[in-house]
Amino acid sequence: MKLFNNVSEFEYPWEQLSAANWRKYPNEASTHVKAVDVLRRELDPSGRRLISERLITCEQSVPKWISMLIGGCNVSYVREVSVVDLDTKTLTLRSCNLTCANILKVFETVKYSPHPRDSKKTLFEQEAKITAYAGISKLCNKIEEWSVNRFHENALKGKRGFDTVLETLSERWNISESLVDDIGSSLVDKINETVEDFKAVTEDLPKGTRHESSFLSGNYSEIRKAFTKSS
Amino acid sequence: MGNIMSTSFAPECADLKHTYDKCFNHWYSEKFLKGLSMENECSKQWYAYTTCVQAALVKQGIKPALDEARKEAPFENGGEPEKVE
């Protein structure tokens, strides 16, 4: 298993950011995220805590050798559970891939909260756990390494994407405080560049990531697991 | 396709989803965020949309993987995975 952490900030207040979160994927312009569906949504009796379960449908883009291994599915699904808490002012999103979960599992936790020193900003914290389950440890490592690279590639892209969404929504927020269904086509143009990568299976994390465990220790644990299983 | 808001994985549910999303987004920023709401007010739109989605999940064979993930990281837990050794 490999672990990644990342902290960054957005130049928008938390409230605005949490509202924008629900419209992050106008899919028409995005290439990876094809659809977003709400599967379950419950409001706490207090009216201050909202839990949502969403299904994110992505077009898969994996290396040929992985898709051969997996069997050539070109659509992948991610399940996400999010909690908006008005009392702690946090939006926490936890997601995991449903597709090919027996081979590779990416569990991502993202938390948005008001910046402790500047209420006009939002703090973004991210953690991802990547686990490959293939039988041979070498292969596991290869898949994990590939995932790491994907994270890097899409890093800045994703952050920039959400920033442009926020920018556009922000203009309207200031005009009417209403984020109703009126984003217009300018948003589509802006989003065109990026948003798709914000979240999904392995190809979707917003910013640079760093290793928390060395390749070697990852290796050892896989080897140990293999031995434990066979004995 | 052809809509600004994200579509549904099931084409037959797309219109119902847009109607629901529109209601939800308005409720979210105008009521929920302001602490003005004790209930999710879009239940009528939700019911129509979710009925369609639940059927499509079964039809497209997504349900088993979803159920597995739900067991692993329950909704009631805010999606936090249960500790696995």
Side-chain angles (χ1 to χ4, degrees), chain A residues 15 18-19 22-23 25-28 34-43 45-48 50-51 53 55 57 77 79 81 83-84 86 94 98 105 107 177-181, chain B residues 1-9 17 20 22 24-30 32-34 37-40 46 49 53-54 60 62 65-66 69-70 72-73 75-76 78-81:
Chain A
E15 283 80 4
S18 86
W22 305 118
R23 32 178 76 236
Y25 303 113
N27 72 82
E28 193 184 46
K34 294 297 172 195
V36 181
D37 284 272
V38 186
L39 303 182
R40 187 174 166 187
R41 179 166 270 156
E42 284 175 22
L43 182 69
S46 69
R48 305 187 60 80
L50 181 74
I51 310 178
E53 181 188 52
L55 179 76
T57 306
Y77 301 102
R79 172 185 180 251
V81 178
V83 181
V84 186
L86 290 183
R94 295 187 175 91
L98 296 181
K105 202 171 274 183
F107 196 92
E177 288 233 322
S178 159
L179 282 176
V180 204
D181 180 24
Chain B
M1 300 281 181
N3 292 294
I4 290 165
M5 285 199 285
S6 66
T7 189
S8 172
F9 74 100
K17 175 187 152 58
Y20 169 71
K22 200 171 160 180
F24 170 79
N25 283 321
H26 183 265
W27 172 81
Y28 186 83
S29 24
E30 295 304 309
F32 174 74
L33 272 186
K34 293 176 180 171
S37 186
M38 296 302 282
E39 57 173 330
N40 193 337
W46 168 256
Y49 168 53
V53 162
Q54 299 307 325
Q60 295 197 24
I62 304 167
L66 184 65
R70 283 172 166 164
E72 212 169 82
F75 179 90
E76 290 75 12
E80 206 161 347

Coordinates of all heavy atoms in Angstrom, one line a residue, chain A residues 15 18-19 22-23 25-28 34-43 45-48 50-51 53 55 57 77 79 81 83-84 86 94 98 105 107 177-181, chain B residues 1-9 17 20 22 24-30 32-34 37-40 46 49 53-54 60 62 65-66 69-70 72-73 75-76 78-81:
Chain A
E15 N -18.1 28.2 2.3 CA -19.5 28.1 1.9 C -19.6 28.0 0.4 O -20.3 27.1 -0.2 CB -20.4 29.3 2.4 CG -20.7 29.3 3.8 CD -19.6 29.8 4.7 OE1 -18.6 30.2 4.2 OE2 -19.7 29.7 6.0
S18 N -18.1 24.8 -0.9 CA -19.0 23.6 -0.7 C -20.1 23.5 -1.7 O -20.5 22.5 -2.1 CB -19.5 23.5 0.7 OG -20.6 24.3 0.9
A19 N -20.7 24.7 -2.0 CA -21.8 24.7 -3.0 C -21.2 24.4 -4.4 O -21.9 23.7 -5.2 CB -22.4 26.1 -3.0
W22 N -20.9 20.6 -5.7 CA -22.0 19.8 -6.3 C -22.0 20.0 -7.8 O -22.7 19.3 -8.5 CB -23.3 20.2 -5.7 CG -23.3 20.0 -4.2 CD1 -23.5 21.0 -3.3 CD2 -23.1 18.8 -3.5 NE1 -23.4 20.5 -2.0 CE2 -23.1 19.1 -2.1 CE3 -22.8 17.5 -3.8 CZ2 -22.9 18.2 -1.1 CZ3 -22.6 16.5 -2.8 CH2 -22.7 16.9 -1.5
R23 N -21.3 21.0 -8.3 CA -21.4 21.2 -9.8 C -20.0 21.2 -10.4 O -19.8 22.0 -11.3 CB -22.2 22.5 -10.1 CG -22.0 23.6 -9.0 CD -22.7 24.8 -9.3 NE -24.1 24.7 -9.1 CZ -25.0 25.0 -10.0 NH1 -24.7 25.3 -11.2 NH2 -26.3 24.9 -9.7
Y25 N -18.6 18.9 -12.0 CA -18.4 18.1 -13.2 C -19.5 18.4 -14.3 O -20.3 17.5 -14.5 CB -18.5 16.6 -12.9 CG -17.4 16.2 -11.9 CD1 -17.8 15.7 -10.7 CD2 -16.1 16.2 -12.3 CE1 -16.9 15.2 -9.8 CE2 -15.2 15.7 -11.4 CZ -15.6 15.2 -10.1 OH -14.6 14.8 -9.3
P26 N -19.5 19.6 -14.8 CA -20.4 19.6 -16.0 C -19.7 18.8 -17.1 O -18.8 19.3 -17.8 CB -20.3 21.1 -16.4 CG -19.7 21.8 -15.2 CD -18.8 20.8 -14.6
N27 N -20.1 17.6 -17.2 CA -19.4 16.6 -17.9 C -19.2 16.9 -19.4 O -18.3 16.3 -20.0 CB -20.1 15.2 -17.8 CG -21.3 15.3 -18.7 OD1 -21.3 15.1 -19.9 ND2 -22.4 15.6 -18.0
E28 N -20.0 17.7 -20.0 CA -20.0 17.8 -21.4 C -18.6 18.3 -21.8 O -18.1 17.9 -22.9 CB -21.0 18.9 -21.8 CG -21.2 18.9 -23.3 CD -22.1 20.0 -23.8 OE1 -22.0 21.1 -23.3 OE2 -23.0 19.7 -24.6
K34 N -17.8 11.2 -17.0 CA -18.9 11.2 -17.9 C -20.2 11.5 -17.2 O -21.1 12.0 -17.8 CB -19.0 9.8 -18.5 CG -17.8 9.5 -19.4 CD -17.7 10.4 -20.6 CE -16.5 10.2 -21.4 NZ -16.2 11.3 -22.3
A35 N -20.3 11.1 -16.0 CA -21.6 11.3 -15.3 C -21.4 11.3 -13.8 O -20.5 10.8 -13.3 CB -22.6 10.2 -15.7
V36 N -22.3 12.0 -13.1 CA -22.3 12.0 -11.6 C -23.7 11.8 -11.2 O -24.6 12.6 -11.6 CB -21.8 13.4 -11.1 CG1 -21.8 13.4 -9.6 CG2 -20.4 13.7 -11.6
D37 N -23.9 10.8 -10.4 CA -25.3 10.5 -9.9 C -25.3 10.5 -8.3 O -24.3 10.0 -7.7 CB -25.7 9.2 -10.4 CG -26.2 9.3 -11.9 OD1 -27.3 9.6 -12.1 OD2 -25.3 9.0 -12.7
V38 N -26.4 11.0 -7.8 CA -26.6 10.9 -6.3 C -27.3 9.6 -6.1 O -28.4 9.4 -6.6 CB -27.4 12.1 -5.8 CG1 -27.4 12.1 -4.3 CG2 -26.7 13.4 -6.3
L39 N -26.8 8.7 -5.2 CA -27.4 7.5 -4.9 C -28.2 7.5 -3.7 O -29.2 6.8 -3.5 CB -26.4 6.4 -4.8 CG -25.5 6.2 -6.1 CD1 -24.5 5.0 -5.8 CD2 -26.3 5.9 -7.3
R40 N -27.7 8.3 -2.7 CA -28.4 8.4 -1.4 C -28.1 9.7 -0.8 O -26.9 10.2 -1.0 CB -27.9 7.2 -0.6 CG -28.7 7.1 0.7 CD -28.3 5.8 1.5 NE -28.7 5.9 2.9 CZ -28.4 5.0 3.8 NH1 -27.6 4.0 3.5 NH2 -28.8 5.1 5.0
R41 N -29.0 10.3 -0.2 CA -28.7 11.6 0.5 C -29.6 11.8 1.7 O -30.8 11.7 1.6 CB -29.0 12.8 -0.6 CG -28.7 14.1 0.0 CD -28.6 15.1 -1.1 NE -27.3 15.3 -1.7 CZ -27.0 15.8 -2.9 NH1 -28.0 16.0 -3.7 NH2 -25.8 15.9 -3.3
E42 N -29.0 12.1 2.8 CA -29.7 12.2 4.0 C -29.3 13.5 4.8 O -28.2 13.8 4.9 CB -29.6 11.0 4.9 CG -30.5 9.8 4.3 CD -30.3 8.5 5.1 OE1 -29.8 8.5 6.2 OE2 -30.5 7.5 4.4
L43 N -30.4 14.1 5.3 CA -30.1 15.3 6.1 C -30.3 14.9 7.6 O -31.3 14.3 7.9 CB -31.1 16.4 5.7 CG -31.0 17.8 6.4 CD1 -29.7 18.5 6.0 CD2 -32.1 18.7 6.1
P45 N -31.4 15.2 11.4 CA -32.5 15.8 12.0 C -32.3 17.3 12.4 O -33.2 18.1 12.4 CB -32.9 14.9 13.2 CG -32.3 13.6 12.9 CD -31.1 13.9 12.0
S46 N -31.0 17.6 12.7 CA -30.7 18.9 13.2 C -30.7 19.9 12.0 O -30.8 21.1 12.2 CB -29.3 18.9 13.8 OG -28.3 18.7 12.7
G47 N -30.7 19.3 10.8 CA -30.7 20.2 9.6 C -29.3 20.8 9.3 O -29.2 21.6 8.4
R48 N -28.3 20.3 10.0 CA -27.0 20.9 9.9 C -25.9 20.0 9.4 O -24.7 20.3 9.3 CB -26.5 21.5 11.2 CG -27.6 22.5 11.7 CD -27.1 23.3 13.0 NE -25.9 24.0 12.7 CZ -25.9 25.2 12.1 NH1 -27.0 25.8 11.7 NH2 -24.7 25.9 12.0
L50 N -25.3 17.1 6.2 CA -25.8 16.5 5.0 C -24.9 15.4 4.5 O -23.7 15.7 4.3 CB -26.0 17.5 3.9 CG -26.6 17.1 2.6 CD1 -28.1 16.8 2.7 CD2 -26.4 18.1 1.5
I51 N -25.4 14.2 4.4 CA -24.5 13.1 3.9 C -25.0 12.7 2.5 O -26.2 12.5 2.3 CB -24.6 11.9 4.8 CG1 -24.3 12.3 6.2 CG2 -23.5 10.8 4.4 CD1 -24.4 11.1 7.2
E53 N -24.2 10.2 -1.0 CA -23.5 9.1 -1.7 C -23.6 9.3 -3.2 O -24.7 9.4 -3.7 CB -24.0 7.7 -1.3 CG -23.3 6.6 -1.9 CD -23.9 5.2 -1.7 OE1 -25.2 5.1 -1.9 OE2 -23.3 4.3 -1.2
L55 N -22.2 8.4 -7.3 CA -21.6 7.5 -8.2 C -21.0 8.3 -9.3 O -21.7 9.1 -10.0 CB -22.6 6.5 -8.8 CG -22.0 5.5 -9.8 CD1 -21.2 4.4 -9.1 CD2 -23.1 4.9 -10.7
T57 N -19.0 8.4 -12.8 CA -18.7 7.5 -14.0 C -17.6 8.1 -14.8 O -17.7 9.3 -15.3 CB -20.0 7.3 -14.8 OG1 -21.1 6.9 -14.0 CG2 -19.8 6.3 -16.0
Y77 N -16.2 3.1 -12.5 CA -17.1 3.8 -11.5 C -16.4 4.1 -10.2 O -15.6 3.3 -9.8 CB -18.3 2.9 -11.2 CG -19.1 2.7 -12.4 CD1 -19.1 1.4 -13.1 CD2 -20.0 3.6 -13.0 CE1 -19.8 1.1 -14.2 CE2 -20.7 3.4 -14.1 CZ -20.7 2.1 -14.7 OH -21.4 1.8 -15.8
R79 N -17.3 5.3 -6.2 CA -18.3 5.7 -5.2 C -17.7 6.7 -4.2 O -16.6 6.6 -3.8 CB -18.7 4.4 -4.4 CG -19.6 4.7 -3.2 CD -19.9 3.4 -2.5 NE -20.7 3.6 -1.3 CZ -20.3 3.6 0.0 NH1 -19.1 3.4 0.2 NH2 -21.2 3.8 0.9
V81 N -18.6 9.1 -0.8 CA -19.6 9.5 0.3 C -19.0 10.8 0.9 O -17.9 11.0 1.2 CB -19.7 8.5 1.4 CG1 -20.6 9.0 2.5 CG2 -20.2 7.1 0.9
V83 N -19.7 14.3 3.5 CA -20.4 14.8 4.7 C -20.2 16.3 4.7 O -19.0 16.8 4.8 CB -19.9 14.2 6.0 CG1 -20.7 14.7 7.2 CG2 -20.0 12.7 5.9
V84 N -21.3 17.1 4.7 CA -21.2 18.5 4.9 C -21.6 18.8 6.4 O -22.7 18.4 6.7 CB -22.1 19.3 4.0 CG1 -21.8 20.8 4.2 CG2 -21.8 18.9 2.6
L86 N -22.2 21.8 9.0 CA -22.3 23.2 9.2 C -21.7 23.6 10.5 O -21.2 24.8 10.7 CB -23.7 23.7 9.1 CG -24.4 23.7 7.7 CD1 -25.8 24.3 7.8 CD2 -23.6 24.5 6.7
R94 N -15.1 11.1 0.8 CA -14.3 9.9 0.8 C -14.7 9.0 -0.5 O -15.9 8.8 -0.6 CB -14.6 9.1 2.0 CG -14.1 9.8 3.3 CD -14.2 8.9 4.5 NE -13.7 9.5 5.7 CZ -14.4 10.3 6.5 NH1 -15.7 10.5 6.3 NH2 -13.8 10.9 7.6
L98 N -14.9 1.5 -7.8 CA -15.7 0.2 -7.7 C -15.2 -0.7 -8.8 O -15.2 -1.9 -8.6 CB -17.2 0.6 -8.1 CG -18.0 1.4 -7.1 CD1 -19.4 1.6 -7.6 CD2 -18.0 0.8 -5.7
K105 N -7.0 -0.7 -5.6 CA -8.0 0.1 -4.9 C -7.4 1.5 -4.4 O -6.3 1.5 -3.9 CB -8.5 -0.7 -3.6 CG -9.8 -0.2 -3.1 CD -10.4 -1.1 -2.1 CE -11.1 -2.3 -2.7 NZ -11.7 -3.1 -1.7
F107 N -8.2 4.6 -2.3 CA -9.2 5.2 -1.3 C -8.7 6.7 -1.0 O -7.6 6.9 -0.5 CB -9.2 4.4 -0.1 CG -10.4 4.7 0.8 CD1 -11.6 4.1 0.6 CD2 -10.4 5.8 1.7 CE1 -12.8 4.4 1.3 CE2 -11.5 6.1 2.4 CZ -12.7 5.4 2.2
E177 N -25.9 36.0 -4.7 CA -25.8 35.0 -3.6 C -26.5 33.7 -4.0 O -26.6 32.8 -3.2 CB -26.5 35.5 -2.3 CG -25.7 36.6 -1.6 CD -25.4 36.2 -0.2 OE1 -26.3 35.7 0.5 OE2 -24.3 36.5 0.3
S178 N -27.0 33.6 -5.2 CA -27.7 32.4 -5.6 C -26.9 31.6 -6.6 O -26.4 32.2 -7.6 CB -29.0 32.8 -6.2 OG -29.5 31.8 -7.0
L179 N -26.7 30.4 -6.3 CA -25.9 29.5 -7.2 C -26.8 28.6 -8.0 O -26.4 27.5 -8.3 CB -24.9 28.7 -6.4 CG -23.7 29.5 -5.9 CD1 -22.8 28.6 -5.1 CD2 -22.9 30.0 -7.1
V180 N -28.0 29.1 -8.3 CA -28.9 28.3 -9.0 C -28.4 27.9 -10.3 O -27.3 28.2 -10.7 CB -30.3 29.0 -9.1 CG1 -31.4 28.0 -9.3 CG2 -30.5 29.9 -7.9
D181 N -29.2 27.3 -11.1 CA -28.8 26.7 -12.3 C -28.6 27.7 -13.4 O -29.2 27.7 -14.4 CB -29.9 25.7 -12.7 CG -29.5 25.0 -14.0 OD1 -28.3 24.9 -14.3 OD2 -30.4 24.5 -14.7
Chain B
M1 N -26.6 14.0 -23.5 CA -25.6 15.1 -23.4 C -26.2 16.4 -23.9 O -27.4 16.5 -24.2 CB -24.4 14.8 -24.3 CG -23.7 13.5 -23.9 SD -22.6 13.8 -22.5 CE -21.9 12.1 -22.3
G2 N -25.4 17.4 -24.0 CA -25.9 18.7 -24.4 C -26.4 19.5 -23.2 O -27.1 20.5 -23.4
N3 N -26.1 19.1 -22.1 CA -26.5 19.9 -20.9 C -25.3 20.4 -20.2 O -24.2 19.9 -20.2 CB -27.3 19.0 -19.9 CG -28.6 18.6 -20.5 OD1 -29.5 19.4 -20.7 ND2 -28.8 17.3 -20.8
I4 N -25.5 21.5 -19.5 CA -24.4 22.1 -18.7 C -24.1 21.3 -17.5 O -23.0 21.1 -17.1 CB -24.7 23.6 -18.4 CG1 -24.7 24.4 -19.7 CG2 -23.7 24.2 -17.5 CD1 -25.3 25.8 -19.6
M5 N -25.2 20.9 -16.8 CA -24.9 20.1 -15.6 C -24.5 18.7 -16.0 O -24.8 18.2 -17.1 CB -26.2 20.1 -14.8 CG -26.4 21.4 -14.0 SD -27.5 21.2 -12.7 CE -29.1 21.1 -13.5
S6 N -23.9 18.0 -15.1 CA -23.4 16.6 -15.4 C -24.6 15.7 -15.6 O -25.7 15.9 -15.0 CB -22.5 16.1 -14.3 OG -23.3 16.0 -13.1
T7 N -24.4 14.8 -16.4 CA -25.5 13.9 -16.8 C -25.5 12.6 -15.9 O -24.8 12.5 -14.9 CB -25.5 13.5 -18.3 OG1 -26.7 12.8 -18.6 CG2 -24.3 12.6 -18.5
S8 N -26.4 11.7 -16.2 CA -26.5 10.5 -15.4 C -25.8 9.3 -16.1 O -25.7 9.4 -17.4 CB -28.0 10.1 -15.2 OG -28.1 8.9 -14.6
F9 N -25.4 8.3 -15.4 CA -24.7 7.2 -16.0 C -25.8 6.4 -16.8 O -25.5 5.7 -17.7 CB -24.1 6.3 -15.0 CG -25.1 5.5 -14.2 CD1 -25.4 4.1 -14.5 CD2 -25.8 6.0 -13.1 CE1 -26.3 3.4 -13.8 CE2 -26.7 5.3 -12.4 CZ -26.9 4.0 -12.7
K17 N -32.6 13.6 -13.4 CA -31.5 14.1 -12.6 C -31.4 15.6 -12.7 O -31.1 16.2 -11.7 CB -30.2 13.4 -13.1 CG -28.9 14.0 -12.5 CD -27.7 13.4 -13.1 CE -26.5 14.4 -13.0 NZ -26.1 14.8 -11.6
Y20 N -33.9 17.2 -10.5 CA -33.5 17.1 -9.1 C -32.3 18.0 -8.8 O -32.4 18.7 -7.8 CB -33.2 15.7 -8.7 CG -32.5 15.6 -7.4 CD1 -33.3 15.8 -6.2 CD2 -31.2 15.3 -7.2 CE1 -32.7 15.8 -5.0 CE2 -30.6 15.3 -6.0 CZ -31.4 15.5 -4.9 OH -30.8 15.5 -3.6
K22 N -31.3 20.7 -10.0 CA -31.6 22.1 -10.1 C -32.3 22.5 -8.7 O -31.9 23.5 -8.1 CB -32.6 22.3 -11.2 CG -32.8 23.7 -11.7 CD -33.6 23.8 -12.9 CE -34.1 25.2 -13.1 NZ -35.0 25.3 -14.3
F24 N -32.0 20.8 -5.9 CA -31.0 20.6 -4.8 C -30.1 21.8 -4.7 O -29.8 22.3 -3.6 CB -30.3 19.3 -5.0 CG -29.1 19.2 -4.0 CD1 -29.3 18.8 -2.7 CD2 -27.8 19.5 -4.4 CE1 -28.3 18.7 -1.8 CE2 -26.8 19.4 -3.5 CZ -27.0 19.0 -2.2
N25 N -29.5 22.2 -5.8 CA -28.5 23.2 -5.8 C -29.1 24.5 -5.2 O -28.4 25.2 -4.5 CB -27.9 23.5 -7.2 CG -26.9 22.4 -7.5 OD1 -26.1 22.0 -6.7 ND2 -26.9 22.0 -8.8
H26 N -30.3 24.8 -5.6 CA -31.0 26.0 -5.0 C -31.2 25.8 -3.5 O -30.9 26.7 -2.7 CB -32.3 26.2 -5.7 CG -33.0 27.4 -5.3 ND1 -34.0 27.4 -4.3 CD2 -32.9 28.7 -5.7 CE1 -34.4 28.6 -4.1 NE2 -33.8 29.4 -4.9
W27 N -31.7 24.7 -3.1 CA -31.9 24.4 -1.7 C -30.6 24.5 -0.9 O -30.6 25.1 0.2 CB -32.6 23.0 -1.5 CG -32.6 22.6 -0.1 CD1 -33.6 22.9 0.8 CD2 -31.7 21.7 0.6 NE1 -33.3 22.3 2.0 CE2 -32.2 21.6 1.9 CE3 -30.6 21.0 0.2 CZ2 -31.5 20.8 2.9 CZ3 -29.9 20.3 1.2 CH2 -30.4 20.2 2.5
Y28 N -29.6 23.9 -1.5 CA -28.3 23.9 -0.8 C -27.8 25.3 -0.5 O -27.4 25.6 0.7 CB -27.3 23.1 -1.6 CG -26.0 22.9 -0.9 CD1 -25.8 21.8 0.0 CD2 -24.9 23.7 -1.0 CE1 -24.7 21.6 0.7 CE2 -23.7 23.6 -0.3 CZ -23.6 22.5 0.6 OH -22.4 22.3 1.3
S29 N -27.7 26.1 -1.5 CA -27.1 27.4 -1.2 C -28.1 28.4 -0.6 O -27.6 29.3 0.2 CB -26.5 28.0 -2.5 OG -27.0 27.5 -3.6
E30 N -29.3 28.3 -0.9 CA -30.3 29.3 -0.3 C -30.8 28.9 1.0 O -31.2 29.8 1.8 CB -31.5 29.5 -1.3 CG -31.0 30.1 -2.6 CD -30.3 31.4 -2.5 OE1 -30.9 32.3 -1.8 OE2 -29.2 31.6 -3.0
F32 N -30.0 25.4 3.0 CA -29.1 24.6 3.9 C -28.0 25.3 4.4 O -27.7 25.4 5.7 CB -28.7 23.3 3.2 CG -27.7 22.5 4.0 CD1 -28.1 21.7 5.0 CD2 -26.3 22.5 3.6 CE1 -27.1 21.0 5.8 CE2 -25.4 21.8 4.4 CZ -25.8 21.1 5.4
L33 N -27.2 25.9 3.6 CA -26.0 26.6 4.0 C -26.3 27.8 4.9 O -25.5 28.1 5.8 CB -25.2 27.2 2.7 CG -24.2 26.3 2.0 CD1 -23.5 27.1 1.0 CD2 -23.2 25.8 3.0
K34 N -27.4 28.3 4.8 CA -27.8 29.4 5.7 C -28.5 28.9 7.0 O -28.9 29.8 7.8 CB -28.8 30.4 4.9 CG -28.1 31.1 3.8 CD -29.1 31.9 3.0 CE -28.3 32.6 1.8 NZ -29.2 33.3 0.9
S37 N -33.0 25.4 6.9 CA -33.8 24.2 6.5 C -33.7 23.1 7.4 O -32.6 22.7 7.8 CB -33.4 23.8 5.1 OG -34.3 22.8 4.7
M38 N -34.8 22.5 7.8 CA -34.8 21.3 8.7 C -35.0 20.1 7.8 O -35.0 19.0 8.3 CB -35.8 21.4 9.8 CG -35.5 22.6 10.7 SD -33.9 22.4 11.5 CE -34.2 21.2 12.8
E39 N -35.3 20.3 6.6 CA -35.6 19.1 5.7 C -35.1 19.3 4.3 O -35.0 20.5 3.9 CB -37.0 18.7 5.7 CG -37.9 19.9 5.3 CD -39.4 19.4 5.1 OE1 -39.6 18.3 4.8 OE2 -40.2 20.3 5.3
N40 N -34.8 18.3 3.6 CA -34.4 18.4 2.2 C -35.7 18.5 1.5 O -36.6 17.6 1.5 CB -33.7 17.1 1.8 CG -33.0 17.3 0.5 OD1 -33.4 18.1 -0.3 ND2 -32.0 16.4 0.2
W46 N -36.6 14.0 -6.0 CA -35.6 13.0 -5.6 C -36.2 11.6 -5.8 O -35.6 10.7 -6.4 CB -35.3 13.2 -4.1 CG -34.6 11.9 -3.6 CD1 -35.1 11.0 -2.7 CD2 -33.2 11.6 -3.8 NE1 -34.1 10.0 -2.5 CE2 -33.0 10.4 -3.1 CE3 -32.2 12.1 -4.6 CZ2 -31.7 9.7 -3.2 CZ3 -31.0 11.4 -4.7 CH2 -30.8 10.2 -3.9
Y49 N -36.2 10.6 -9.5 CA -34.8 10.4 -10.0 C -34.2 9.1 -9.4 O -33.7 8.2 -10.1 CB -33.9 11.6 -9.6 CG -32.5 11.4 -9.7 CD1 -31.9 11.0 -10.9 CD2 -31.6 11.7 -8.7 CE1 -30.5 10.8 -11.1 CE2 -30.2 11.5 -8.8 CZ -29.7 11.1 -10.0 OH -28.4 10.9 -10.1
V53 N -32.7 5.6 -11.0 CA -31.3 5.2 -10.8 C -31.1 3.8 -10.2 O -30.3 3.0 -10.6 CB -30.6 6.3 -9.9 CG1 -29.3 5.7 -9.3 CG2 -30.3 7.5 -10.7
Q54 N -32.0 3.5 -9.2 CA -31.9 2.2 -8.5 C -32.1 1.1 -9.5 O -31.4 0.1 -9.5 CB -32.9 2.1 -7.4 CG -32.7 3.2 -6.3 CD -31.3 3.2 -5.7 OE1 -30.6 2.2 -5.6 NE2 -30.9 4.4 -5.3
Q60 N -27.5 -2.3 -15.2 CA -26.2 -2.2 -15.7 C -25.2 -3.0 -15.0 O -24.0 -2.9 -15.2 CB -25.8 -0.7 -15.8 CG -26.6 0.1 -16.8 CD -26.0 1.4 -17.1 OE1 -24.8 1.6 -17.0 NE2 -26.8 2.4 -17.5
I62 N -24.1 -2.7 -11.9 CA -23.2 -2.0 -11.0 C -23.4 -2.4 -9.5 O -22.6 -2.2 -8.7 CB -23.3 -0.5 -11.2 CG1 -23.1 -0.1 -12.7 CG2 -22.4 0.3 -10.3 CD1 -23.5 1.3 -13.1
A65 N -20.9 -4.5 -7.1 CA -19.7 -3.8 -6.7 C -20.0 -2.7 -5.7 O -19.3 -2.4 -4.8 CB -19.0 -3.3 -7.9
L66 N -21.1 -2.1 -5.9 CA -21.6 -1.0 -5.1 C -21.9 -1.5 -3.7 O -21.5 -1.0 -2.6 CB -22.8 -0.3 -5.7 CG -23.4 0.9 -5.0 CD1 -22.4 2.0 -5.0 CD2 -24.7 1.3 -5.6
A69 N -18.7 -2.2 -1.8 CA -18.1 -1.0 -1.3 C -18.9 -0.4 -0.1 O -18.3 0.2 0.8 CB -18.1 0.1 -2.4
R70 N -20.2 -0.6 -0.1 CA -21.0 -0.1 1.0 C -20.7 -0.8 2.2 O -20.8 -0.3 3.3 CB -22.5 -0.2 0.6 CG -22.9 0.9 -0.4 CD -24.4 0.6 -0.9 NE -24.9 1.8 -1.5 CZ -25.9 1.8 -2.3 NH1 -26.6 0.7 -2.5 NH2 -26.4 2.9 -2.9
E72 N -17.9 -2.1 2.9 CA -16.6 -1.8 3.4 C -16.5 -0.4 4.0 O -15.7 -0.1 4.9 CB -15.7 -1.8 2.1 CG -14.2 -2.2 2.4 CD -13.5 -2.4 1.1 OE1 -13.1 -1.5 0.4 OE2 -13.4 -3.6 0.7
A73 N -17.3 0.5 3.4 CA -17.3 1.9 3.9 C -18.7 2.4 4.0 O -19.2 3.1 3.1 CB -16.4 2.8 3.0
F75 N -22.3 4.1 4.5 CA -22.9 5.5 4.4 C -23.0 6.1 5.8 O -22.7 7.2 6.1 CB -24.2 5.3 3.7 CG -25.0 6.6 3.6 CD1 -24.8 7.4 2.4 CD2 -25.8 7.1 4.5 CE1 -25.5 8.6 2.3 CE2 -26.5 8.3 4.4 CZ -26.3 9.0 3.2
E76 N -23.5 5.2 6.7 CA -23.8 5.7 8.1 C -22.5 6.1 8.8 O -22.5 6.8 9.8 CB -24.4 4.5 8.9 CG -25.9 4.2 8.5 CD -25.9 3.4 7.2 OE1 -24.9 2.9 6.7 OE2 -27.1 3.3 6.7
G78 N -20.3 7.8 7.3 CA -19.8 8.9 6.4 C -18.8 8.5 5.4 O -18.0 9.2 4.9
G79 N -18.9 7.2 5.1 CA -18.0 6.6 4.0 C -16.6 6.3 4.5 O -15.7 6.0 3.7
E80 N -16.5 6.2 5.8 CA -15.2 5.9 6.4 C -15.1 4.4 6.4 O -16.0 3.7 6.9 CB -15.1 6.4 7.8 CG -13.6 6.6 8.2 CD -13.5 7.6 9.4 OE1 -14.5 8.3 9.7 OE2 -12.4 7.6 10.0
P81 N -14.0 3.8 5.9 CA -13.9 2.4 5.8 C -13.7 1.7 7.2 O -13.1 2.3 8.1 CB -12.6 2.1 5.0 CG -11.9 3.4 5.0 CD -12.8 4.5 5.4

